[in-house]
Amino acid sequence: MRFNRMLLSVTLVVVALVIQVSVLARLHLPGAVPDLVLLTVLALALVYGHVGGALIGFGAGLLSDVVPPADHAAGRYALVLCVIGYCAGLVKPENGRLKSATGPMAVVVVAAIGSTLLYAGVGALVGDTAARHVGLTSLLFTATLYDLLLAPFVVPVVMALARRAENDPLSDAGSAAKAADVSTGWAGAGTGLRIGGQRGGLRVKAARARVARAGRIKGVKRL
C-alpha cells in the first residue's frame, strides 16, 4: 500500500473509532451499536480493492479489539473486518466510479448482516454466549438499520477522500494508459522531426546539385 493510502486509512479509522466509542456507544440505542468503523472499512475497500480492504479491515478490527470498552478476545473483530474488507473490495468497480448508490447500500446491508453473523459465530466457537442473551435476530435487524441510516453520511465522504488522496479519481491503469499515450505521442513527434530533417537535407543537396549543373552548363556555353 502507498504511504498516502496508509496515512489516510489510519487517520479515518482512528477518527471513526473515537466517534463510535465516545459518542455512538453512549447513545444506548436498543440492540446493536452503529458501526462507524465497519462503514469506514467498506468505503475504503470499495476504492482500494480487496487486498487493501483486507489489510485495512484487519488493522481496524485489531484496534477495535484493544480499545476500551472492548470485552472480547483480541483478534476476534480483526478477523471479522478482515473478511468483510476483502469481500467488499471484490465488488470494486473496474473504472473506479460508482454509477448509483444502490451498489454501496447493498454492500452495507450484506456487510452488516455478515459481520454480525460472523462475530456471533466466532464468539460461539470461543464460548461467548452474549449474542444469545441479547437475541441474534434483534442484533441483525438493528445493526442493519443503524448502518443503513448512517451510511449515506459516511461512505460517500470516505470514498471521496480516498480518491482524492490517490491524485487520480480513476485507477492506476488510467494513469498508465495516459502515460503510454503521451510517450507514444512523443515518439511519433520525434520520428516526424527526424524524417523532416532528412527531407530537408535531401532538398538542400538537390538544390546544390542543380546550381552546380547550371554552373557547368554556363561554362560550356562561354567556351
Side-chain angles (χ1 to χ4, degrees):
M1 295 179 66
R2 299 177 181 177
F3 177 76
N4 56 348
R5 290 187 179 185
M6 295 176 61
L7 181 60
L8 178 66
S9 301
V10 171
T11 303
L12 292 176
V13 168
V14 171
V15 171
L17 184 59
V18 170
I19 295 176
Q20 180 170 325
V21 172
S22 60
V23 178
L24 299 179
R26 297 178 183 273
L27 296 178
H28 300 291
L29 297 173
V33 176
D35 201 338
L36 188 59
V37 176
L38 173 65
L39 296 178
T40 303
V41 171
L42 291 178
L44 293 174
L46 289 175
V47 177
Y48 296 149
H50 59 282
V51 176
L55 294 176
I56 295 171
F58 179 80
L62 190 61
L63 189 62
S64 301
D65 288 332
V66 299
V67 171
D71 56 353
H72 54 269
R76 180 176 171 184
Y77 203 49
L79 173 62
V80 173
L81 286 187
C82 181
V83 174
I84 296 298
Y86 180 85
C87 295
L90 293 176
V91 299
K92 170 191 173 184
E94 295 182 359
N95 60 354
R97 294 186 180 276
L98 297 171
K99 297 181 180 180
S100 66
T102 305
M105 297 304 284
V107 172
V108 170
V109 172
V110 175
I113 297 175
S115 62
T116 303
L117 291 176
L118 186 58
Y119 185 83
V122 175
L125 293 177
V126 297
D128 185 2
T129 59
R132 297 179 182 177
H133 300 291
V134 178
L136 185 58
T137 304
S138 176
L139 284 177
L140 288 174
F141 177 76
T142 54
T144 305
L145 178 62
Y146 296 154
D147 291 346
L148 273 178
L149 293 176
L150 196 59
F153 304 99
V154 177
V155 176
V157 176
V158 174
M159 292 182 68
L161 291 174
R163 289 197 184 102
R164 180 169 296 183
E166 287 289 284
N167 295 325
D168 184 1
L170 302 180
S171 61
D172 294 335
S175 300
K178 291 181 179 178
D181 294 340
V182 172
S183 62
T184 304
W186 276 106
T191 304
L193 289 176
R194 288 195 297 270
I195 293 175
Q198 293 176 358
R199 290 178 178 176
L202 293 176
R203 290 177 181 176
V204 171
K205 290 180 180 180
R208 290 178 179 176
R210 285 196 297 270
V211 172
R213 187 181 305 168
R216 288 196 298 270
I217 292 174
K218 289 181 179 180
V220 173
K221 289 182 178 179
R222 289 177 181 176
L223 294 175

